[in-house]
Amino acid sequence: MLINLHVKNLALIREEEVEFQSGLNILTGETGAGKSILLGSIQLALGGKMSREMIREDADYALVELTFQVEDPRIRRELEALGVYPEDDQIWMSRRMAGKRSTNRINGETCTAAQMRAVGALLLDIHGQHEHQSLLNRKRQLDILDEYGKEKIEPIKVQTAAAYQAYQKLAKQMSGDQMDEEQRKREVSFLEFEIRELQEANLQPGEDEELEKQHRKLSNGKRILETLNQVHMCTGYDDAGGAGDRLGQALQLLGGIVDLDEDLEPMEESLTDLDGLLNDFNRELTDYLSEWEFDEEEYYQLEKRLDLINHLKSKYGNSVEEIQKYQKKQEQRLQKLQSYEEYKQELEQKLARQRKKLDEQCKILSKYRMEYAKQLERQVQTQLTDLNFLHVDFAIEFTQQGYTSGGADQVEFMISTNPGEPRKPFGKVVSGGELSRIMLAIKTLLADKDQIETLIFDEIDTGISGRTAQKVSEKMAYIGGQRQVICITHLPQIASMADAHYSIEKKQQDADTFTSIRLLDAEDSVKELARLLGGAEITERVLESAREMKDLADQQKNSRLKL
């Protein structure tokens, strides 16, 4: 769960730190006090988008830090699969933004925004003010169903996507290979020309490198011979100035005195070794010079072969190996075109088999989806009844579309909220407040499936009041008994259910405006409820009503609210 939030220099926030608790954490405050900024800071720390204008005008940077407590073994395994390892059961995520750049870190190690989002998706689920509108989108409805039945649906979806990709590849190949007879003959003629040219060249692996080596030697033959003759003179034994002759003289002189001082023996041995090495070198050099022979015809054939290879390189590849790969590819293409009708028939058969396989996968996927749709219908119906939909009738309708990587299903959530009325798509029946409650019901069910430890709701109470608000508050209290919930609200019915109640206030100091947040004690929580109940003027009667509301909420929580 989220145990700490630290925000600095973000919008109206100078620097604030919040220690969240388990259960239902409620955030209340006047309109414009900065409640949504606090939620936005969490989204930013998890890789959300940010503009330079969000940094306070008197600051060079903004900083958001989150600390999570992670104890669920399943979540730990999924985090480790992402390369993130909790330290002392905790994960620290931070984002520092300066100018147009931001620095993201998880447990002190730099990471990308995408990695932040991936980790965040395992740790918390945020329901923003307008997210319930996504329920009007049929694609989102299908995603909800797949998420609900993820345990069995996800593996089939992976298999279906693989079958679809294989089908698309064959279909693309079939489309790309369509040609008339005249076109086929032209391509066959061209391929035969290229292959014949390459076969006649009879290139050998590494041949170009060896020929270039020989060409370099023959092209520089004169220089090589002149230089080697000079080397022979410098190191030979025939000339008085040669190193061999001088070394022989030195060895003779040293040999005349070595008997006079036995310490000179090692020097004599070293000089003898040098003389032997130089003698061997001169012998090898003499042999090389005697074997050197420049053959003009050989040189001509060498240049001719290199010209051919370079010409082929300019057409087919940068090396002999690449040219040979190209030749093999063209030979395969020629073989295919020469037996085009057989090839086309075989490809059609492969396409038909893959289409059948894809169709089978789509049917299996539909079967699982329909099974889970029945479960989801029943559970959503129950949840909506709890949320004061007294005469609700909810169903999921299936239609078929063309093949996609996600199967062939389209779904639409249908609902009737009044007795006797037929079910209709959400967009034609429900209001914004009703959509918000439906999303709360779905979030509750999905949370039970994925075990995300922290749920965040931003004004889930939009468009509701009275008995409905009370039902929503009971639902929030129940969820808070199962996992950590952080909720921004303006309704006293929901705020009264708080296990931890925070007040967000906008303050002014000199010419500066800033937002602060504080954890309320029991008495201050009652006063905040009174403000939500009575507005600007808080009378003793309003305070008494707030205290009674809080007591009733505590009684309900203590009696373990049930779904």
Side-chain angles (χ1 to χ4, degrees), residues 58-178:
D58 58 350
D60 296 326
Y61 71 94
L63 176 67
V64 183
E65 296 176 312
L66 305 176
T67 305
F68 292 91
Q69 187 78 17
V70 182
E71 297 177 353
D72 189 322
R74 184 189 61 82
I75 293 178
R76 292 175 71 98
R77 287 194 297 271
E78 293 191 31
L79 286 170
E80 290 172 3
L82 296 173
V84 176
Y85 299 86
E87 299 177 11
D88 297 327
D89 294 332
Q90 291 188 347
I91 287 179
W92 301 273
M93 303 177 69
S94 69
R95 192 175 189 190
R96 188 181 189 276
M97 296 143 286
K100 297 181 179 180
R101 303 190 60 171
S102 65
T103 302
N104 312 309
R105 286 190 170 88
I106 299 177
N107 286 356
E109 295 186 7
T110 304
C111 63
T112 65
Q115 289 171 313
M116 300 282 277
R117 289 191 290 270
V119 171
L122 296 174
L123 298 176
L124 55 76
D125 183 15
I126 300 178
H127 178 78
Q129 292 185 35
H130 306 293
E131 188 185 347
H132 56 270
Q133 293 294 328
S134 69
L135 279 177
L136 302 178
N137 185 297
R138 295 176 69 178
K139 173 68 169 62
R140 175 59 180 145
Q141 293 173 2
L142 182 61
D143 290 342
I144 288 171
L145 174 58
D146 287 350
E147 192 174 347
Y148 177 78
K150 184 177 181 180
E151 182 180 357
K152 289 188 177 179
I153 289 177
E154 185 62 27
I156 304 300
K157 279 183 71 176
V158 171
Q159 295 171 15
T160 303
Y164 175 76
Q165 290 168 3
Y167 174 76
Q168 286 290 92
K169 183 178 179 180
L170 287 171
K172 184 178 180 181
Q173 187 177 345
M174 187 79 181
S175 174
D177 284 342
Q178 295 294 335

Side-chain angles (χ1 to χ4, degrees), residues 41-57:
S41 69
I42 296 175
Q43 292 173 314
L44 286 174
L46 298 178
K49 293 183 179 179
M50 176 188 175
S51 64
R52 174 66 180 84
E53 289 71 27
M54 296 181 70
I55 302 175
R56 282 183 64 90
E57 291 185 3

Side-chain angles (χ1 to χ4, degrees), residues 129-268:
Q129 292 185 35
H130 306 293
E131 188 185 347
H132 56 270
Q133 293 294 328
S134 69
L135 279 177
L136 302 178
N137 185 297
R138 295 176 69 178
K139 173 68 169 62
R140 175 59 180 145
Q141 293 173 2
L142 182 61
D143 290 342
I144 288 171
L145 174 58
D146 287 350
E147 192 174 347
Y148 177 78
K150 184 177 181 180
E151 182 180 357
K152 289 188 177 179
I153 289 177
E154 185 62 27
I156 304 300
K157 279 183 71 176
V158 171
Q159 295 171 15
T160 303
Y164 175 76
Q165 290 168 3
Y167 174 76
Q168 286 290 92
K169 183 178 179 180
L170 287 171
K172 184 178 180 181
Q173 187 177 345
M174 187 79 181
S175 174
D177 284 342
Q178 295 294 335
M179 62 176 62
D180 58 32
E181 183 62 19
E182 194 62 36
Q183 182 184 359
R184 187 187 71 83
K185 287 180 179 179
R186 285 197 302 270
E187 187 170 351
V188 166
S189 177
F190 179 71
L191 288 169
E192 287 175 339
F193 168 78
E194 286 193 329
I195 292 168
R196 187 166 53 251
E197 182 179 34
L198 291 171
Q199 286 175 340
E200 290 174 354
N202 192 28
L203 301 179
Q204 301 301 316
E207 179 184 6
D208 52 342
E209 296 177 1
E210 182 61 32
L211 290 175
E212 286 171 359
K213 180 180 175 182
Q214 293 178 28
H215 185 267
R216 185 166 56 249
K217 174 181 175 181
L218 293 176
S219 298
N220 295 281
K222 183 179 179 182
R223 180 185 172 190
I224 292 172
L225 287 174
E226 289 178 350
T227 303
L228 290 180
N229 281 317
Q230 290 178 343
V231 171
H232 188 269
M233 291 176 61
C234 292
T235 61
Y237 288 82
D238 299 332
D239 299 308
D245 185 67
R246 300 295 298 273
L247 189 58
Q249 293 177 16
L251 187 59
Q252 186 178 4
L253 291 171
L254 186 59
I257 61 171
V258 71
D259 291 337
L260 304 178
D261 185 355
E262 61 182 20
D263 291 339
L264 296 176
E265 289 180 1
M267 295 184 189
E268 182 186 33

Side-chain angles (χ1 to χ4, degrees), residues 387-483:
L387 289 169
N388 213 31
F389 282 88
L390 300 181
H391 304 285
V392 67
D393 183 11
F394 173 78
I396 301 174
E397 289 190 357
F398 280 76
T399 55
Q400 296 296 300
Q401 60 177 350
Y403 295 126
T404 71
S405 60
D409 296 314
Q410 279 190 332
V411 302
E412 183 146 32
F413 288 180
M414 309 290 286
I415 195 168
S416 169
T417 56
N418 295 304
E421 288 188 357
R423 293 190 295 259
K424 295 180 181 179
F426 278 8
K428 296 181 179 180
V429 180
V430 296
S431 65
E434 289 172 324
L435 271 180
S436 184
R437 278 185 285 159
I438 294 170
M439 181 60 88
L440 175 58
I442 290 172
K443 288 281 186 180
T444 303
L445 295 173
L446 294 183
D448 287 340
K449 289 285 182 178
D450 59 28
Q451 295 299 305
I452 289 178
E453 294 182 344
T454 300
L455 300 176
I456 299 179
F457 294 98
D458 183 11
E459 300 193 11
I460 191 70
D461 49 27
T462 300
I464 63 173
S465 59
R467 179 60 181 158
T468 301
Q470 182 60 34
K471 287 288 188 179
V472 170
S473 72
E474 292 171 4
K475 180 67 66 178
M476 299 294 287
Y478 174 82
I479 300 172
Q482 312 302 311
R483 65 196 68 248

Side-chain angles (χ1 to χ4, degrees), residues 1-4 19-25 68 123-124 452-457 479-486:
M1 68 177 187
L2 179 62
I3 58 176
N4 181 271
E19 298 284 344
F20 289 111
Q21 301 180 24
S22 59
L24 180 57
N25 295 260
F68 292 91
L123 298 176
L124 55 76
I452 289 178
E453 294 182 344
T454 300
L455 300 176
I456 299 179
F457 294 98
I479 300 172
Q482 312 302 311
R483 65 196 68 248
Q484 183 189 47
V485 177
I486 299 171

